[in-house]
Amino acid sequence: MLVLFMGVSMMIQFMIPHGISVGYYELTNKWIRIVAAFALVLGTGSLIMHHVDKLQRRRKGWPYSVITLVALLATAVVGLGWGVKPGAPLQEVIFKNILVPLNASMFAILAFYMASAAYRAFRARTTEAALLLVAAFIVMLGTVPIGADVPFRVPALILMTIGILAAIVSAVKSRRWLRVGLLPLVWLVCALAILRLFAPTFGEVKEQVLSNPN
């Protein structure tokens, strides 16, 4: 309940540029720094206790606990001894040469899990699922270099045409002839709007999707 209250209150103050709201935000940020300092100590202690217990009991995967504890100790020694400024060993050796390649490898592996999960989740059985599928398609294609520079109007026309055709087939099966007659007009209006408005590339549309409706 406390987390829910703080989350909603921070969302509300973000939308209200008032002196009281700004003061509340600054005061909350001070408390966050204080709580985070205690949480860092608590989290570090919990991490050490968990992996030491795993080592003592020789549970499954205990060699990874050794790696975790050694990495924790090495990072702490380097950070406390030489600092965290740009050019320090923590930044040059640990971050650039270890963490960045590990993150790249992890995300490369996650791509396969994301693809399989997307196949199961993004089935356009409902209107909400269809919206999710379209938004995910735009964001994913706009993220990769090969799709970021593609004009948005071409795939938008294809997707819109497929959607209209599916709607026409559904209307014919349900014998809704008025809808059958109106759908081609809807396609024409939407096609003109897409050709006029959707000149940006997928990369630009992705940024708009993430910045506004998201």
Side-chain angles (χ1 to χ4, degrees), residues 41-61:
V41 177
L42 182 64
T44 304
S46 176
L47 181 75
I48 293 172
M49 290 173 61
H50 171 74
H51 287 285
V52 167
D53 179 71
K54 197 171 182 179
L55 279 172
Q56 290 175 342
R57 298 176 185 271
R58 288 293 192 273
R59 292 178 180 171
K60 185 179 179 181

Side-chain angles (χ1 to χ4, degrees), residues 59-213:
R59 292 178 180 171
K60 185 179 179 181
W62 65 265
Y64 296 109
S65 296
V66 176
I67 297 173
T68 301
L69 292 174
V70 171
L72 175 66
L73 179 62
T75 305
V77 169
V78 173
L80 293 172
W82 288 273
V84 296
K85 297 178 181 179
L90 186 70
Q91 293 286 340
E92 296 296 325
V93 178
I94 295 179
F95 184 74
K96 289 185 179 179
N97 296 320
I98 298 177
L99 283 179
V100 171
L102 283 175
N103 280 334
S105 302
M106 182 186 71
F107 280 109
I109 295 171
L110 282 176
F112 295 98
Y113 292 98
M114 290 171 62
S116 62
Y119 175 75
R120 293 192 298 270
F122 294 164
R123 294 180 180 178
R125 295 174 177 174
T126 62
T127 304
E128 293 81 3
L131 289 174
L132 183 64
L133 176 61
V134 171
F137 174 77
I138 292 171
V139 172
M140 287 190 289
L141 190 59
T143 301
V144 296
I146 195 172
D149 297 327
V150 174
F152 188 69
R153 58 163 63 100
V154 176
L157 274 172
I158 295 173
L159 288 174
M160 189 267 295
T161 303
I162 293 173
I164 292 293
L165 288 175
I168 290 175
V169 172
S170 176
V172 170
K173 288 182 178 179
S174 59
R175 299 180 181 275
R176 297 180 179 179
W177 306 115
L178 179 60
R179 181 176 294 184
V180 174
L182 289 176
L183 283 171
L185 181 61
V186 172
W187 180 90
L188 180 62
V189 173
C190 292
L192 292 174
I194 288 173
L195 291 174
R196 182 69 182 272
L197 300 176
F198 288 84
T201 62
F202 260 91
E204 294 169 336
V205 176
K206 178 207 74 171
E207 293 299 329
Q208 292 297 322
V209 170
L210 294 178
S211 300
N212 298 310

